[in-house]
């Protein structure tokens, strides 16, 4: 503990600054997504219902918006738990890295779904216009940020894949065997019923 005192001090400072910055971004995403939920794309009809209520793209917008809100608030919770942690030496072994990875993963997911929600909003608004060239250019412009974000964050996706595998392995240890057997039996019955 005496040898690593300087390292521990640097690690505390770094993780607190990182958690503060990421929580600020997560709160910003949550604010934008929350406001988007109450600003109905395409407007409303005379009765106050969304004009594109029965369109598939409106359903995509709604689902992506809700998922973005939930994941950004989950990310805020993870980063706040880091900020309120005492950051002792033993916390850096498992607890803080897990919280940081979960916070990063939720923040990445919230930003990706926010971009998809934005793209769905643009697609809903394009339905108001009938010009094909304008529609094609707007489609490309709407999905460009999503593609760039996905390419830039690909290394994080690869890291999340390994984290997800270890999480699933741990869940298999936690879930009782009889529940797994019930699921397997119900799957077998469904296969034979077909």
């Amino acid at each position: 503990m005496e040898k690593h005192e300087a390292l521990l001090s640097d690690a505390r400072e770094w993780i607190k600054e990182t958690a503060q910055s990421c929580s600020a971004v997560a709160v910003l995403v949550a604010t934008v997504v929350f406001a988007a939920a109450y600003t109905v794309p395409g407007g409303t009809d005379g009765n106050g219902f969304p004009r594109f209520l029965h369109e598939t793209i409106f359903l995509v917008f709604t689902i992506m918006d809700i998922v973005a809100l939930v994941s950004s608030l989950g990310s805020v919770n993870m980063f706040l738990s880091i900020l309120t942690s005492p950051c002792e030496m033993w916390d850096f072994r498992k607890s803080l890295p897990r919280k940081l990875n979960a916070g990063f993963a939720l923040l990445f997911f919230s930003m990706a779904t926010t971009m998809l929600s934005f793209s769905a909003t643009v697609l809903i608004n394009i339905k108001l216009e009938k010009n094909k060239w304008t529609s094609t250019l707007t489609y490309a412009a709407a999905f460009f940020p999503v593609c760039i974000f996905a390419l830039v964050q690909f290394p994080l996706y690869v890291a999340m894949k390994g984290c997800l595998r270890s999480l699933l392995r741990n869940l298999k240890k936690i879930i009782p065997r009889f529940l797994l057997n019930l699921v397997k039996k119900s799957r077998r019955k469904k296969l034979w019923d077909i």
Side-chain angles (χ1 to χ4, degrees):
M1 287 182 74
E2 290 174 6
K3 279 186 175 181
H4 294 101
E5 188 64 36
L7 184 63
L8 180 62
S9 175
D10 290 344
R12 281 180 184 155
E13 184 180 330
W14 177 82
I15 202 161
K16 295 280 185 182
E17 288 177 5
T18 304
Q20 283 177 344
S21 301
C22 291
S23 63
V25 171
V27 167
L28 181 65
V29 170
T31 304
V32 168
V33 172
F34 186 79
Y38 288 100
T39 308
V40 179
T44 57
D45 60 7
N47 297 329
F49 292 105
R51 287 175 46 188
F52 296 107
L53 182 62
H54 302 291
E55 296 287 331
T56 306
I57 196 70
F58 187 77
L59 181 65
V60 169
F61 162 75
T62 306
I63 291 171
M64 290 297 118
D65 197 59
I66 291 169
V67 169
L69 181 64
V70 169
S71 58
S72 64
L73 291 177
S75 176
V76 170
N77 284 335
M78 286 294 128
F79 291 124
L80 285 179
S81 70
I82 291 172
L83 289 172
T84 57
S85 172
C87 293
E88 297 296 330
M89 188 172 289
W90 53 83
D91 290 336
F92 282 95
R93 180 170 165 84
K94 286 187 180 180
S95 174
L96 290 177
R98 284 182 182 169
K99 290 176 183 177
L100 193 64
N101 282 337
F104 280 147
L106 288 169
L107 182 61
F108 167 75
F109 195 63
S110 70
M111 291 180 76
T113 52
T114 300
M115 288 185 178
L116 291 172
S117 177
F118 163 73
S119 300
T121 304
V122 170
L123 295 177
I124 288 170
N125 289 330
I126 288 174
K127 283 192 168 255
L128 298 174
E129 300 176 11
K130 300 297 180 191
N131 190 350
K132 285 188 178 183
W133 285 103
T134 308
S135 299
T136 305
L137 290 175
T138 311
Y139 286 151
F143 286 105
F144 183 71
V146 175
C147 296
I148 293 297
F149 185 73
L151 288 174
V152 169
Q153 297 298 329
F154 185 72
L156 179 63
Y157 170 73
V158 172
M160 280 180 12
K161 187 177 174 184
C163 182
L164 185 64
R165 282 185 183 162
S166 66
L167 178 70
L168 290 176
R169 265 189 256 121
N170 289 335
L171 281 177
K172 285 182 181 178
K173 292 176 185 176
I174 295 171
I175 296 174
R177 288 289 170 195
F178 69 91
L179 288 177
L180 290 175
N181 290 335
L182 287 175
V183 171
K184 287 179 184 177
K185 287 178 184 177
S186 67
R187 284 186 185 168
R188 273 189 245 138
K189 286 180 183 178
K190 287 181 184 177
L191 287 175
W192 290 109
D193 289 343
I194 295 173

